[in-house]
Amino acid sequence: MNHAKWIAYFQRNQLNRPEPDWTAPLCVAPRILAPVLRSVEQFRLGDGGGPASLIACDRERFRSSSPAMRQIVDLWFAEEAGHARLLGQAVKRFGGRIITSHWSFTAFCLCRRVLGVRFELQVLTLTELVSTAYYRMLRAYSPDGPLAAMCELILRDEAGHVAFQRDRLMSAGLPRRGLRGGCWRLQFLLCGYAAGTMLWVNHAPCLKAIGGTRREFYGEITRQLTRFIRSLRRPAKHPAIPALWAKPGLHLQPVK
């Protein structure tokens, strides 16, 4: 991995992080508000104790591998913590509470422990990809401007996280060429649909309430997975931060 490039990327990504206007009037129908709130509460739990905590048992190994990797991991964890904070603000805006447990998160962590660290890179990558599909749908149909602005900011970060995990996979020699590489890609695709299905089971009431459909959700999952798998066949392309984000004091607007 090009450590210097990733350090520069994460540092640049922290330069301008416009805060959604959480004080804006809330005009969301109760029939929509309730499922959206439940969904955001659960996703905050996943981001607050999800991707970063999945490698908590290996954090010191990563951080001690080199000073550069230590800096990259800390910057990455800081972004994940930032997502949890944003989701916590959304929960507060919608009148919810910060939950500390949920069956889906418990099952997810249990599966990770059973599979072991050998699958860690795949698990983290799939987590980022599935999260991207969720946030893209939530942004597209959001009934609330600040919520859409939050999704826009998190999606900016997720683009970098996916590219970071891709770099890590390539550095680890995955996927290999030939039959073994084909089997790995098939396994990755199937695991991606399994992760997507678990997300749909938990968040379908929210996505349906705001106007999304199961077909659209799985279409987004398919696009994210296939785009990522195809990217593994090309030379690594470092993510760029759009010029829009370089404007100080930018206040995000809902994107439809």
Side-chain angles (χ1 to χ4, degrees):
M1 287 183 63
N2 187 328
H3 291 154
K5 184 186 290 185
W6 277 112
I7 290 172
Y9 172 80
F10 280 117
Q11 288 176 337
R12 190 167 65 252
N13 203 32
Q14 290 294 324
L15 291 178
N16 184 33
R17 305 190 67 78
E19 187 75 10
D21 184 9
W22 300 116
T23 62
L26 179 62
C27 302
V28 181
R31 66 177 182 81
I32 296 178
L33 180 61
V36 169
L37 173 58
R38 285 195 297 272
S39 178
V40 174
E41 285 177 341
Q42 293 174 27
F43 229 84
R44 194 222 63 85
L45 174 63
D47 262 2
S53 293
L54 278 174
I55 64 171
C57 60
D58 298 319
R59 181 172 185 174
E60 290 309 313
R61 177 171 64 83
F62 281 123
R63 296 182 76 252
S64 63
S65 62
S66 70
M69 180 57 79
R70 180 183 309 123
Q71 190 173 358
I72 292 172
V73 170
D74 286 344
L75 289 167
W76 172 34
F77 281 12
E79 285 194 2
E80 294 291 354
H83 296 175
R85 185 192 66 79
L86 287 169
L87 287 160
Q89 288 294 103
V91 170
K92 181 179 178 181
R93 173 175 173 79
F94 297 146
R97 61 187 179 87
I98 301 300
I99 62 175
T100 57
S101 64
H102 189 265
W103 72 265
S104 60
F105 182 64
T106 302
F108 181 66
C109 292
L110 178 61
C111 288
R112 197 275 179 175
R113 285 197 295 270
V114 170
L115 292 174
V117 293
R118 186 165 64 89
F119 291 94
E120 173 209 317
L121 284 175
Q122 290 95 314
V123 169
L124 289 172
T125 304
L126 289 170
T127 300
E128 304 284 12
L129 290 170
V130 170
S131 296
T132 296
Y134 169 81
Y135 284 121
R136 285 178 66 86
M137 284 195 67
L138 192 60
R139 179 190 64 177
Y141 291 103
S142 174
D144 183 62
L147 181 65
M150 179 201 75
C151 292
E152 185 74 10
L153 180 57
I154 292 178
L155 281 167
R156 180 191 81 171
D157 294 342
E158 292 294 354
H161 294 184
V162 168
F164 175 54
Q165 300 303 341
R166 178 190 181 280
D167 242 17
R168 294 181 68 210
L169 282 169
M170 299 295 284
S171 298
L174 294 171
R176 297 177 177 85
R177 296 182 179 181
L179 181 61
R180 293 184 67 181
C183 291
W184 184 90
R185 290 183 177 87
L186 179 60
Q187 169 199 292
F188 186 85
L189 194 62
L190 293 175
C191 288
Y193 281 116
T197 298
M198 178 178 286
L199 189 149
W200 175 256
V201 168
N202 286 326
H203 301 280
C206 165
L207 297 177
K208 287 181 177 179
I210 61 178
T213 64
R214 181 171 58 182
R215 180 177 181 179
E216 185 177 4
F217 173 78
Y218 278 99
E220 189 62 49
I221 290 290
T222 300
R223 276 190 293 273
Q224 296 300 325
L225 291 173
T226 54
R227 184 183 303 165
F228 182 82
I229 290 174
R230 288 170 182 168
S231 74
L232 296 171
R233 303 171 184 172
R234 301 190 297 267
K237 183 178 180 181
H238 200 68
I241 298 177
L244 171 68
W245 295 96
K247 298 178 181 178
L250 173 69
H251 292 287
L252 294 176
Q253 299 298 319
V255 178
K256 296 296 183 182

